[in-house]
Amino acid sequence: VINRYSDSQRAYVYYARLRSNYEVGADIRINGLWRLLQKKLRIYYQDEKKLFFAVGSYECRAKVVFDLITFAQFLFLYVFIACKILHGSISVGEFYLYANAISAFVACLGEFVMQISDLKMAMSYYGAYPYLWDLAAAYPDASAGQIDASADVQEVITLKNVSFHYSGNDQWIIRNLSLSVRKGEHISIVGLNGAGKSTLVKLMMGLYEPQEGSISLYGKDIKNLSRQELYGLFSTVFQDYQLLAAPVSANIAASDVFDAQKVQGILKRTGLFERLADEGADAIVSRRLSDQGILFSGGEEGKIAIARAFYKGAPICILDEPAAALDPLAEAELNQLMQTLTEDETAITISHRLSSCRFSDRILVLENGQISENGSHQELLARQGLYYRMWQEQAQYYQD
């Protein structure tokens, strides 16, 4: 029982931190990790409930028996006092004694009632767990939606006069921005810190709603799309991508039901197959819930996140600086993998390191919530604007 209690507490800490981490919410929604997380949570809560009654049943029974005995004692005393009063045989001292006894009886009765109340409250919490976590209707499976991405549509993403600011803050992050992304186009978004790059792509994916303007995907306003249709159009690799303490295969497929052959093929494409030669796709990510888990390096975790995007295979790929925290060699390897991932898809990449933007079809420079520059790498260098200054600032370190 002690081992089970320790494991349950370990799982509780893991899930409590994960579900309260707002920063990974986008990754969990867009990549369809919600159902897998929901299933893991349901198993955990069932185990926790069994453990609660297994550990607390004796204490609960003992408490009830003790309270019943105490109640019976004071009930007998109360009847005895009543009889004494009726026969007129109670002195002042006896009355004081009996009054104290009655007070103790009332206190005991109140404690007993409170115990029942606490028990009902605890049971109501357990009854609420399925409701709190059963959000399948709100966040359905993020598989491919109903939009026909193979249709002959030239503009897959269209923003018209979009403006956005965060709730409680009147400062505009995106202001009157218009943009069209063509099918199969590779675009890089760059800019200074706080320019609104990540906010812009999250608007495209429907994670934020603009205060002004409209956003369309494949010619349809995103307000008229279900969450399933919307999320199904995107494969994403965020900078703060989230891996669950679950098998590698489940992390890649965002489900514990998956195409094993497809997963194996993706592991080979991403270079993870050799790393998992002994355990295979059943290897557990991290040791938060299992001592048999594997501690992957930052580059290897990035490959798993990219493998998830490979597996989903949505028509639009969003890459939000997943290699930002890696060393240059690991970054170059992940960038090469991401280029392979997006070879035949529409891709939007956010990057602080401009060396990864050189081969994009277009580069958008975001400044003060608007697109200040738009063009290829060579075109923007020739203009000698913000992109040119940023390039020169970074290039000197590589040249030195």
Side-chain angles (χ1 to χ4, degrees):
V1 173
I2 292 176
N3 289 337
R4 284 185 61 202
Y5 182 77
S6 176
D7 291 342
S8 181
Q9 284 296 103
R10 186 178 182 182
Y12 169 77
V13 172
Y14 171 73
Y15 287 123
R17 289 178 178 175
L18 181 60
R19 71 186 182 186
S20 62
N21 189 348
Y22 179 81
E23 299 299 327
V24 301
D27 195 43
I28 290 176
R29 293 185 194 180
I30 297 296
N31 287 315
L33 285 172
W34 184 260
R35 285 188 178 276
L36 178 61
L37 178 59
Q38 180 189 30
K39 186 173 183 178
K40 298 293 184 182
L41 281 166
R42 187 178 292 112
I43 294 173
Y44 160 71
Y45 284 128
Q46 289 174 350
D47 184 64
E48 183 192 41
K49 185 176 181 179
K50 292 177 182 177
L51 185 62
F52 173 81
F53 287 109
V55 173
S57 60
Y58 174 79
E59 180 181 1
C60 182
R61 289 197 301 269
K63 183 66 175 175
V64 169
V65 171
F66 177 79
D67 286 345
L68 286 174
I69 293 174
T70 304
F71 175 77
Q73 289 176 336
F74 282 106
L75 179 62
F76 173 78
L77 183 59
Y78 181 81
V79 173
F80 177 74
I81 293 174
C83 293
K84 286 288 186 179
I85 293 174
L86 291 175
H87 287 81
S89 56
I90 294 181
S91 66
V92 174
E94 289 173 332
F95 176 80
Y96 179 75
L97 175 65
Y98 298 150
N100 285 339
I102 292 174
S103 298
F105 168 77
V106 173
C108 178
L109 183 61
E111 179 66 21
F112 183 76
V113 172
M114 288 301 299
Q115 293 282 346
I116 296 176
S117 177
D118 290 344
L119 182 60
K120 288 183 177 181
M121 180 66 73
M123 293 306 297
S124 67
Y125 279 123
Y126 275 103
Y129 281 147
Y131 172 77
L132 291 174
W133 290 101
D134 189 12
L135 299 177
Y139 301 109
D141 189 6
S143 58
Q146 300 301 314
I147 291 180
D148 184 7
S150 63
D152 186 17
V153 177
Q154 294 301 315
E155 295 181 352
V156 297
I157 304 175
T158 304
L159 285 75
K160 293 183 178 179
N161 303 319
V162 170
S163 296
F164 172 81
H165 63 76
Y166 291 103
S167 177
N169 189 337
D170 294 333
Q171 181 179 358
W172 293 103
I173 307 300
I174 302 296
R175 187 57 175 160
N176 198 31
L177 186 148
S178 296
L179 168 68
S180 294
V181 179
R182 296 185 295 273
K183 188 174 183 179
E185 191 175 22
H186 288 194
I187 288 179
S188 291
I189 302 177
V190 302
L192 301 176
N193 290 335
K197 301 182 294 294
S198 295
T199 300
L200 178 58
V201 296
K202 289 179 180 179
L203 283 166
M204 295 178 185
M205 292 184 285
L207 294 171
Y208 298 153
E209 292 186 10
Q211 282 80 17
E212 299 177 3
S214 63
I215 302 173
S216 300
L217 298 175
Y218 291 88
K220 295 185 178 181
D221 193 313
I222 62 173
K223 293 180 180 179
N224 299 324
L225 299 177
S226 67
R227 296 293 97 180
Q228 183 176 9
E229 289 178 303
L230 188 54
Y231 295 164
L233 292 172
F234 295 95
S235 292
T236 59
V237 186
F238 290 109
Q239 181 177 350
D240 51 356
Y241 53 80
Q242 179 61 45
L243 302 182
L244 300 183
V248 172
S249 54
N251 272 282
I252 292 175
S255 171
D256 51 7
V257 178
F258 54 88
D259 185 334
Q261 187 174 0
K262 184 177 179 180
V263 169
Q264 187 177 28
I266 291 174
L267 288 175
K268 292 179 178 179
R269 292 181 66 185
T270 54
L272 288 167
F273 186 77
E274 293 76 12
R275 172 69 170 88
L276 303 173
D278 295 333
E279 298 86 355
D282 294 330
I284 303 295
V285 176
S286 91
R287 294 183 180 174
R288 291 183 180 272
L289 299 182
S290 172
D291 294 334
Q292 283 71 47
I294 296 178
L295 298 178
F296 292 95
S297 68
E300 289 168 341
E301 289 185 346
K303 288 181 179 180
I304 296 175
I306 292 173
R308 181 187 296 156
F310 268 122
Y311 189 94
K312 186 177 180 181
I316 304 173
C317 191
I318 303 290
L319 307 171
D320 188 358
E321 296 194 284
L326 302 179
D327 61 77
L329 292 179
E331 180 194 15
E333 187 177 5
L334 277 191
N335 283 337
Q336 182 60 46
L337 273 176
M338 288 186 286
Q339 288 180 15
T340 303
L341 165 66
T342 60
E343 187 175 5
D344 299 320
E345 307 294 347
T346 305
I348 299 174
T349 304
I350 295 176
S351 180
H352 277 105
R353 299 179 183 177
L354 305 188
S355 58
S356 61
C357 305
R358 292 178 298 168
F359 305 107
S360 298
D361 298 321
R362 276 195 296 157
I363 300 171
L364 308 179
V365 181
L366 210 58
E367 188 176 10
N368 297 323
Q370 296 180 322
I371 298 174
S372 61
E373 300 177 40
N374 184 349
S376 67
H377 173 70
Q378 294 300 331
E379 290 172 345
L380 296 187
L381 287 182
R383 294 177 189 175
Q384 297 191 1
L386 177 59
Y387 181 82
Y388 173 81
R389 296 195 299 272
M390 293 172 63
W391 175 263
Q392 292 296 109
E393 185 67 27
Q394 292 187 18
Q396 64 174 322
Y397 296 104
Y398 292 100
Q399 290 170 356
D400 292 344

